[in-house]
Structure formats: structure tokens, C-alpha cells
Amino acid sequence: MPPQSPAGKCTLDGSSKPPQTPQKTDKPARTKASIIGSDSWTSAREYKPGAGEPLNPKKDERHFLYQRAVDFNDKTDWHAVVATASRLRNGKNCSIRRRFSIGIFNMVKRIVFEDGVSWVIRLRMPSLGGMLGRKERLPPGQALGMEVAAMIFFKTKTSIPVPKLYHYDLDPNNDIGAPYMMMEYIHDMGKGPWTTTTDYYRDFSNHCMETTAMADARLASEDSFINPVLFNYVLHTVEDPKRRNGPFYLTNYDFGPHNVLVNEKFEILAVIDFDSVIAAPLEVAAQLPFMAYLDLGPPPGLADSASEGSSSAKTSFLEYKRMIKTAEDKLNDGRGRDGLLSDAVFSKAAILFGGIAACGCHSSSVNSSWLRTYISVIRNDVISAISPTENPS
């Protein structure tokens, strides 16, 4: 057990004083846009049943996630959190804010010290039984360990603004009751290694099929279940053969605006969530950011996917590619690089990889749409390879 300290009195409202009756104030009410940092954390309210709606965790996924958050919060030893944080700062008193932020894998709470310094504790929640894809294949402690290693690497080897890591414990049976890390609070907010892309995509495809079968037997019975097999077939016709032996590129396959903290001027303050950092082929590194509303969708035929869709979508795609090219130029003191990533973003190989990446959604309609795309690509390639005299039509 960590040594006890005066901070052992854990309060959930963020102060050592008892709750006070709210006083009237002439200050204007905060608008939604003015609620930033931990003030915007919802404590899983988005999953909570509505007024008069019975809680039914066994039948309603939203209710299940709410109950899971409540149970995890109740079972966590927050007094041990306070004692550990206080010990790490030489006995300074601290408390835990009541509100928390939660995702599928992690719960985050703010720790406030008596001198005004704030940390956050990020706790890895128990596994959901392999229902959510590749992240779930690792035990919670090992998954958090990958994120810790990635944070340390980016903090020491790059200029990416990563929150400072103060302490971590990967043991799920520790005093707090879950693997966790304590890090700087920012306001405003498997297998391998592989030596060839062929080996990487084979393992990735097998993994997609395994997780699909575990998640939904109905999806495993549909024709689109073979999408990963079709992807491996068509990839050899579109990828650059010179890159089949590498190199591999460091990429975060869960990267998106939800992992970037900005202030009210939209200036980047920090990049968070590094539990999805992997070394992967160029086509994987070239995937569009998650939740950035840049999803091309399954492009039938793949003739010119960057030019398909609405004019606003085309403008966004071209702007995104331009931003990447600008960053590549800066990385080489303005002399320019070979345009690897900017050229690969809308390449045929990168777009086709999106089809098996989408398997993690476990959506019948999405998988069926990609099945049609893969068949269309194969059909067009076969027809184009047949000379007019051999074409039976």
C-alpha cells in the first residue's frame, strides 16, 4: 500500500471543503463553447438512460456502457489514487474532481493539488472480451504499456507536443485496482515484427476475419467475409513492388481530431492517446485521420477517388494533401522530400486498404459495399488484361 498522507481524504467534487449551497452570481452563464478542459467531461451521461427509461444493460449497448462506467468508477480505489499522487509530489494534498471522461477503453479523471497544479489519471478499463478488434487482443496492462512506450518515444525523439508522464503502473492488481498512468493535465483541450508487406497484410487479414467471426456469426456467414482475401489478391496488382521489403513507417491508426488538444484559437497544445502506434506499410500510414469527416467511402472502380463526391469534399481532400506535402517539405529544411505520404494518401493501394480497416466496424452494409468494390477492381483488371481478340464479348 502507498504511504498514507493528509491527501488521503478523497473528495469527488475537487475540494477539501464540504459542498456549499450555490450562491447567486451576476456572472453570465457559460455557453457550450466556453466549456473547455475537464469542464466539458460528461461522466458517461451520453450513455445514461433518459428520464423514465429503464436501465437494461443486457439488451441495450448504450446502457451496458453506462453501467460499465459506473461499476468501474465504484470499484476503483480513489483514496489510493490520492495517496499515490500526493506521495509523488512529496506529500502535497490533492483531491479528485467528480467529473470524468470515458471512452471504450479508458477512464480519465483530474487530480488537483493544493498549489493549483493539476494532473490527470488515465485508467485502463477491463477488456470487453475481444469484441472491438485488435486493441482488445492484448491484456489491459500490456495495452497501456504500449501507449506508455509510445509516449516516451515521441516525447524524447520528436517535437510532437506530448503530455508529460509522471508515473504509471501496469499491474491490474495494484492498490488502485487497474493499470493506469498519471500525466500532465492540459487545459483547453501483437504479432510482428514483419519483414515484408506480404507478411504484414496476411496477418492483418487473418486477424480481421478472426475478429469478425468472434464479433458476429452472422457477418461470418456473408459473402463479404472474404473481403480480406480479395484485398490481398488485388493489392499485388496496385502496390509498388519495390516497397514489399519495407521500410515500415511509424503510424497511429487511431489518430484523429479527438486525440488533439487545442485552445480557443485552435492552436495545438498536445497530442494524446498513443495506444494505437504501430510500425506498418506505407498504405496504412496513408489512411485518412479517424473521425475527421474525410472518409472517402468505398469508391466503385477507384478511377479517381479524390475527384469523386461533392465539390466541398474534393476541396477538403486536396487541402489535406497540400498540408501533408507542406509538412514533408519542412521536415527536410524546405528542400522537399520524395512526397511519400502526400502521394500515397489517395493512392489505389491506400484506398483499398481502407476496405479491410473498415472490417472493424462490423457493419454488414459497409462490408458489402467494399465487396462490390473489390470485385469491380478485379473484374476491370482481368478485362483490361484480355486482348480484343481474346475477349469473348
Side-chain angles (χ1 to χ4, degrees):
M1 290 289 291
Q4 295 299 313
S5 71
K9 294 181 179 180
C10 176
T11 58
L12 295 181
D13 61 353
S15 71
S16 57
K17 300 178 181 179
Q20 302 291 318
T21 303
Q23 301 295 317
K24 292 184 178 180
T25 177
D26 293 329
K27 293 181 180 180
R30 293 181 301 176
T31 62
K32 184 176 292 186
S34 70
I35 301 176
I36 55 179
S38 62
D39 292 334
S40 67
W41 295 354
T42 64
S43 301
R45 282 201 308 271
E46 60 269 34
Y47 301 133
K48 188 176 182 179
E53 183 182 4
L55 182 66
N56 194 348
K58 292 185 178 181
K59 293 186 179 181
D60 191 309
E61 179 180 339
R62 180 170 56 92
H63 294 186
F64 169 77
L65 293 174
Y66 174 74
Q67 189 63 55
R68 178 171 177 257
V70 170
D71 292 343
F72 183 77
N73 185 61
D74 290 344
K75 293 177 181 178
T76 299
D77 191 337
W78 299 109
H79 293 280
V81 172
V82 169
T84 300
S86 177
R87 173 175 55 83
L88 292 168
R89 292 206 68 211
N90 299 317
K92 287 190 180 296
N93 292 336
C94 63
S95 58
I96 301 174
R97 288 288 174 88
R98 181 183 298 275
R99 289 188 179 189
F100 59 84
S101 177
I102 194 166
I104 297 297
F105 301 104
N106 301 287
M107 175 179 286
V108 178
K109 281 198 175 187
R110 183 177 175 182
I111 304 171
V112 182
F113 291 92
E114 60 183 348
D115 59 356
V117 171
S118 286
W119 291 2
V120 294
I121 181 169
R122 192 164 184 264
L123 303 107
R124 187 77 179 190
M125 299 176 70
S127 171
L128 285 171
M131 300 299 290
L132 293 175
R134 52 194 179 276
K135 288 187 187 178
E136 286 283 286
R137 298 297 293 272
L138 296 176
Q142 189 175 346
L144 188 68
M146 290 177 58
E147 182 170 7
V148 168
M151 287 183 68
I152 294 173
F153 175 85
F154 283 114
K155 189 72 174 178
T156 57
K157 301 294 185 181
T158 76
S159 61
I160 296 174
V162 178
K164 185 175 181 179
L165 181 65
Y166 298 115
H167 179 67
Y168 63 90
D169 189 329
L170 307 181
D171 185 359
N173 298 313
N174 57 38
D175 295 326
I176 289 172
Y180 68 90
M181 65 170 72
M182 291 181 179
M183 58 185 177
E184 176 186 12
Y185 168 71
I186 305 292
H187 197 60
D188 299 346
M189 313 227 307
K191 287 183 178 179
W194 298 271
T195 57
T196 68
T197 59
T198 301
D199 292 339
Y200 176 90
Y201 287 125
R202 183 191 63 244
D203 286 344
F204 190 95
S205 298
N206 290 339
H207 172 75
C208 287
M209 298 177 77
E210 290 171 3
T211 54
T212 298
M214 288 190 298
D216 193 331
R218 177 181 54 85
L219 290 176
S221 67
E222 296 181 353
D223 293 340
S224 59
F225 182 67
I226 66 168
N227 279 3
V229 177
L230 297 179
F231 163 77
N232 274 284
Y233 178 84
V234 299
L235 182 66
H236 281 281
T237 68
V238 298
E239 72 171 341
D240 184 349
K242 293 182 293 185
R243 298 196 182 280
R244 287 178 183 163
N245 292 321
F248 283 60
Y249 301 86
L250 201 62
T251 183
N252 184 350
Y253 64 77
D254 190 40
F255 178 73
H258 61 300
N259 290 335
V260 180
L261 302 182
V262 300
N263 61 19
E264 292 177 316
K265 296 180 180 179
F266 289 95
E267 297 168 330
I268 295 176
L269 300 178
V271 180
I272 61 173
D273 290 3
F274 290 93
D275 57 341
S276 302
V277 174
I278 58 174
L282 181 62
E283 294 80 18
V284 182
Q287 294 303 295
L288 297 173
F290 184 57
M291 294 177 65
Y293 300 99
L294 287 173
D295 186 15
L296 290 169
L302 293 169
D304 185 5
S305 42
S307 66
E308 295 180 5
S310 65
S311 58
S312 61
K314 286 189 290 185
T315 301
S316 297
F317 298 147
L318 294 175
E319 175 66 10
Y320 177 67
K321 182 173 182 176
R322 183 194 65 77
M323 291 170 64
I324 294 178
K325 185 63 171 66
T326 299
E328 288 177 323
D329 291 342
K330 288 182 178 179
L331 285 173
N332 200 29
D333 297 326
R335 295 193 299 272
R337 302 182 75 182
D338 55 5
L340 271 180
L341 191 59
S342 56
D343 289 341
V345 169
F346 299 119
S347 68
K348 206 169 187 179
I351 296 169
L352 287 170
F353 176 79
I356 56 169
C359 287
C361 298
H362 302 311
S363 167
S364 176
S365 59
V366 171
N367 291 345
S368 295
S369 184
W370 275 104
L371 174 64
R372 292 192 295 272
T373 292
Y374 287 138
I375 292 176
S376 175
V377 172
I378 294 172
R379 179 185 297 114
N380 292 341
D381 287 344
V382 171
I383 291 176
S384 64
I386 300 176
S387 67
T389 56
E390 296 175 324
N391 194 330
S393 61

